[in-house]
Amino acid sequence: MTEIFSPSPEERAAIVRNAPERMTSRAEGWLKDKTVSSALTAAAARTAPLTAEQQAALRPAFLDFEASSLHSEKSYPISAGVAPLDESLAPDYYALIRPREGWTNWDEKSESIHGISRETLERDGADADVVLQTLTVLSRTFRFYVTSNYDQFWMNRLTEGNPGILVHDFQDFMYDTAKGDCLAVMDAYERANRETKHTHNALDDARRLRNVVRQLVQGEPTE
């Protein structure tokens, strides 16, 4: 949800200063399919903590949430998008999230940015528990990278305080991938920014993160 692709001169200086040494349509079908939903529920119920070896084997995927508002402790996620770096391991994932009972916070300014109405969520959103179960299953294969601390907050809202899914800092991943070359990181951001738009759609924004990494690692064209 956070815009990160057009750094100001001050932000560019901060980057240098602080630099450390296929599913969209299929996913919607999965979420609405009761058989698959039941399978996800069972899989999530059997999920045990990952061992250190399993943690080390996790592959990168990029996660983004859109939310009911930005500046409230009562905000909650309204959509989720996941874009694995290696698309052969799993397709991209997207879901609108139907608000749980008690999730009443709503900010019209945020709605004007992400373009999703509460009525749309009530009508078309997937059950929040099914979205959580899907993310839990994906987290057995992928380590999620995000651009904002808000994303961990919204993940925690989704897990309702239970032991949840940890997300990791995208910027750290970029610097690790670039072996500390902050200029290469900024160049990747800028090339991605020239070729793609920030839409405030959770899946589009997750794909943007993947595109930035591909610009850095492989010089691949963005989507």
Side-chain angles (χ1 to χ4, degrees):
M1 190 164 186
T2 303
E3 174 63 76
I4 64 169
F5 295 92
S6 297
S8 66
E10 293 80 9
E11 290 168 332
R12 288 172 62 94
I15 289 172
V16 174
R17 185 170 62 252
N18 297 323
E21 309 219 305
R22 267 166 252 184
M23 199 165 186
T24 49
S25 61
R26 288 169 62 189
E28 293 167 359
W30 284 15
L31 289 168
K32 293 175 182 178
D33 186 297
K34 292 183 178 179
T35 301
V36 174
S37 176
S38 297
L40 287 171
T41 301
R46 294 194 304 269
T47 298
L50 294 176
T51 65
E53 184 177 1
Q54 289 171 323
Q55 288 277 358
L58 293 176
R59 306 298 293 274
F62 310 105
L63 169 70
D64 189 71
F65 288 113
E66 295 299 320
S68 62
S69 65
L70 270 178
H71 303 296
S72 171
E73 293 182 356
K74 296 182 180 180
S75 68
Y76 50 86
I78 64 169
S79 65
V82 178
L85 182 59
D86 184 348
E87 295 172 80
S88 70
L89 296 175
D92 293 350
Y93 170 73
Y94 177 73
L96 296 174
I97 305 171
R98 187 166 59 250
R100 288 190 174 115
E101 184 177 354
W103 285 8
T104 58
N105 170 265
W106 195 258
D107 179 61
E108 292 183 358
K109 182 177 180 180
S110 293
E111 180 180 342
S112 72
I113 294 172
H114 55 61
I116 303 169
S117 69
R118 188 174 172 95
E119 292 73 20
T120 297
L121 297 176
E122 295 285 0
R123 183 185 67 245
D124 300 330
D127 185 278
D129 288 340
V130 174
V131 177
L132 174 58
Q133 291 154 9
T134 305
L135 293 176
T136 299
V137 171
L138 289 172
S139 74
R140 305 291 292 180
T141 301
F142 300 104
R143 176 175 285 108
F144 295 135
Y145 290 95
V146 301
T147 60
S148 169
N149 289 335
Y150 285 119
D151 292 296
Q152 184 68 70
F153 173 79
W154 291 320
M155 181 68 81
N156 293 345
R157 289 283 278 163
L158 201 55
T159 64
E160 294 192 312
N162 296 317
I165 302 166
L166 290 178
V167 300
H168 303 269
D169 186 74
F170 177 74
Q171 199 80 305
D172 288 346
F173 176 77
M174 285 289 288
Y175 283 115
D176 288 345
T177 302
K179 297 181 171 57
D181 186 344
C182 58
L183 295 179
V185 170
M186 286 189 292
D187 182 62
Y189 277 126
E190 290 174 353
R191 281 186 285 130
N193 190 51
R194 286 195 298 268
E195 298 181 17
T196 60
K197 295 181 180 179
H198 188 196
T199 64
H200 292 285
N201 170 280
L203 180 56
D204 287 348
D205 289 349
R207 285 171 168 168
R208 283 174 67 88
L209 300 183
R210 178 171 65 200
N211 290 337
V212 173
V213 176
R214 287 177 172 173
Q215 289 281 3
L216 176 66
V217 176
Q218 302 167 351
E220 291 185 3
T222 56
E223 300 169 53

